[in-house]
Amino acid sequence: MNLNLFDQFLVPQLLGMPLLIPAMLLTTVLIYNPQDRWLSNPLTTLQSWLIAKATKQIMTPVNKPGHKWSLMLISLLTMLILNNLLGLLPYTFTPTTQLSMNMALALPLWLATVLIGLRNKPTSSLAHLLPEGTPTPLIPILILIETISLLIRPIALAVRLTANLTAGHLLLHLISTAALSLMTTSTLLAGLTLIILTLLMLLEIAVAMIQAYVFTLLLSLYLQENV
Amino acid sequence: MLSRLALRAAPGVLRNLSPSLSAGALCAARSFHGGQPCLAPLPPLPERGGAVRHGFIPEEFFQFLYPKTGVTGPYMLGTGLTLYLVSKEIYVFNNETVSAVVFLSLVIYAVKRFGPDVAAFAEKINEEKLAKVSTIKNDSIKALETAIQQEKKEQERVAVRSYIFDAKRNNVAMLLEINYRERMLMVYNEVKKRLDYQVAMQHLKRRKEQDHMIGWVERNVVQSITPQQHKESIAKCILDLKALSKAAQATV
């Protein structure tokens, strides 16, 4: 029984050992390995088809040298989608609600894109700090603003994912607690709350997938600018 | 030494296992980094997954309980277990239960509604892959069959080529004959022309001689008529005419 609503975000422990790593790796058991066969069973075919579609979608705008990142980005996308969706099951722990994990994902990847840009095309990546067509008096201020927005990117990436998922989970808990306590007092209100809960659950499923996709898409955009 | 014997006897023993195990066991038992990579034909994948009842309980569980508890056994077990857990508060109803109910009902609805379509789509991907390759195979089979039929036609054509050669030979002979006859006709016409020329020349000469002779005779006769004879002949003609006229008048 949760004492407060934030206990769901505590890292689960078994005999004092944090189970964060197994929680993160749970998604790997759900993914089929590619087989040595030409025609696989329908589930493997579907999974391969989905991954191929996602890869095409995300990596097409990136130019040829950036395709080295496709394995990284698509595995990131798969892990995030599975983590987020599995977290909607009851009593499950969602690793992506922890800011520490999301920062650990966002900061190195963003920094990698910036360093690659500065190393390979320094002029071009510094030129991104000034949008085209700005009037001349605004240039100094705009450069400052663009630099700040560049430095804020990793924090934005991590916090966006964390906040969306944490807020969603909290809302789900709140409304389900409300529905449970209303069931004894007024069944009609409990029914209304259940309808709201259903809609919220649908939204959460959508948000889980969209947030993972947005994370990966933004990283691919930063890559496009810099590679 | 015994270990060597065992090593040599191992593949034979492993091959006699059931087919689902033998391929894996054979592949695993080859000597490390030494033998061929295991390219033996893998046993085929089962087409459908294991049968499940109510979406997540394997059918084997029901078969397992059937001899002792009959058809309703597993359901009694499930109901009893659930009621025990709930009533003894071993499983506590809290907010997660409510959200679990909502989430699971959404999932079950989605699976029931979109499940067959997704399965058909997955099958279609495989079917298309198979069809593409089958098309290539069938096309090449068809091309080979067409080639065989054309080859047979060519062989038949070769058998009758002597007739074609005979016809061609006849054609050529006819052309030669026609040419020969044309030339004969030309020769005949030329010869006739020459001979006609000679004949015409002879006729001309003859006529010219006749004309000349007639002229000569006439000139001589005219020259020989003396004036005396001329007058006598005219008087005679006048007398004859008078007589004739008298005769004519008399008859009228």
Side-chain angles (χ1 to χ4, degrees), chain B residues 128-141:
Chain B
E128 275 172 9
K129 230 171 145 182
L130 201 59
K132 223 192 312 186
V133 175
S134 300
T135 321
I136 297 174
K137 181 182 89 160
N138 289 340
D139 281 347
S140 73
I141 287 179

Side-chain angles (χ1 to χ4, degrees), chain A residues 1-2 5 8 35-43 45-46 49 85 88-92 172-180 183 194 197-199 201-202 205, chain B residues 38 42-48 91-107 118-119 121-123 125-127 129-134:
Chain A
M1 184 75 193
N2 284 333
L5 284 170
Q8 62 178 311
Q35 297 179 325
D36 291 341
R37 301 161 180 277
W38 177 54
L39 285 178
S40 319
N41 56 348
L43 270 175
T45 316
L46 261 182
W49 177 82
L85 283 175
L88 290 169
L89 291 170
Y91 300 108
T92 42
L172 277 176
H173 266 249
L174 271 172
I175 297 187
S176 47
T177 317
L180 189 64
M183 250 189 251
L194 274 178
L197 186 60
T198 316
L199 294 172
M201 187 66 82
L202 277 170
I205 295 175
Chain B
C38 196
L42 297 170
L45 277 175
E47 280 223 20
R48 301 263 162 269
Y91 174 71
V92 181
F93 266 29
N94 55 6
N95 56 357
E96 297 269 15
T97 314
V98 174
S99 91
V101 164
V102 171
F103 184 71
L104 284 176
S105 56
L106 279 175
V107 166
V118 170
F121 178 72
E123 300 273 314
I125 295 177
N126 275 354
E127 293 279 314
K129 230 171 145 182
L130 201 59
K132 223 192 312 186
V133 175
S134 300

Side-chain angles (χ1 to χ4, degrees), chain B residues 2-245:
Chain B
L2 282 172
S3 61
R4 238 184 298 151
L5 266 176
L7 209 58
R8 229 174 282 154
V13 168
L14 289 172
R15 211 169 278 132
N16 291 335
L17 287 175
S18 73
S20 57
L21 290 175
S22 67
L26 269 179
C27 295
R30 63 179 168 88
S31 46
F32 266 128
H33 305 298
Q36 291 275 346
C38 196
L39 299 170
L42 297 170
L45 277 175
E47 280 223 20
R48 301 263 162 269
V52 285
R53 220 191 270 203
H54 302 299
F56 68 101
I57 311 172
E59 189 65 38
E60 284 92 3
F61 183 65
F62 290 81
Q63 300 306 317
F64 172 67
L65 289 180
Y66 180 76
K68 295 289 185 208
T69 55
V71 179
T72 52
Y75 296 106
M76 290 306 296
L77 176 65
T79 318
L81 198 62
T82 319
L83 283 175
Y84 162 68
L85 289 173
V86 171
S87 67
K88 289 270 191 182
E89 296 256 329
I90 296 175
Y91 174 71
V92 181
F93 266 29
N94 55 6
N95 56 357
E96 297 269 15
T97 314
V98 174
S99 91
V101 164
V102 171
F103 184 71
L104 284 176
S105 56
L106 279 175
V107 166
I108 290 172
Y109 170 72
V111 167
K112 283 237 149 63
R113 166 93 186 274
F114 301 113
D117 293 335
V118 170
F121 178 72
E123 300 273 314
K124 194 174 70 121
I125 295 177
N126 275 354
E127 293 279 314
E128 275 172 9
K129 230 171 145 182
L130 201 59
K132 223 192 312 186
V133 175
S134 300
T135 321
I136 297 174
K137 181 182 89 160
N138 289 340
D139 281 347
S140 73
I141 287 179
K142 236 181 280 185
L144 285 173
E145 276 177 3
T146 321
I148 289 175
Q149 276 170 0
Q150 277 187 341
E151 181 63 34
K152 285 212 181 100
K153 222 192 295 185
E154 290 298 319
Q155 282 179 350
E156 282 169 18
R157 280 208 193 131
V158 162
V160 299
R161 74 182 188 277
S162 61
Y163 295 123
I164 294 177
F165 293 156
D166 279 345
K168 285 200 171 163
R169 224 176 279 132
N170 280 344
N171 255 356
V172 167
M174 252 196 293
L175 282 174
L176 283 173
E177 183 73 27
I178 290 170
N179 208 357
Y180 173 68
R181 286 197 187 174
E182 271 176 4
R183 274 188 269 142
M184 286 290 286
L185 187 64
M186 202 164 59
V187 163
Y188 169 77
N189 283 338
E190 286 293 313
V191 166
K192 185 154 176 300
K193 263 197 291 190
R194 304 261 187 299
L195 291 174
D196 281 346
Y197 173 71
Q198 296 297 328
V199 163
M201 282 291 284
Q202 274 183 358
H203 281 325
L204 184 69
K205 198 166 173 197
R206 200 81 187 283
R207 205 168 42 245
K208 278 272 189 254
E209 280 176 357
Q210 271 180 352
D211 288 344
H212 184 256
M213 218 177 349
I214 291 169
W216 186 80
V217 163
E218 279 180 359
R219 256 181 287 129
N220 276 353
V221 164
V222 165
Q223 270 177 357
S224 71
I225 297 176
T226 54
Q228 182 66 27
Q229 280 177 338
H230 193 235
K231 278 184 198 161
E232 281 178 9
S233 69
I234 286 176
K236 193 161 188 277
C237 285
I238 292 170
L239 282 174
D240 282 336
L241 275 171
K242 280 187 184 164
L244 273 172
S245 69

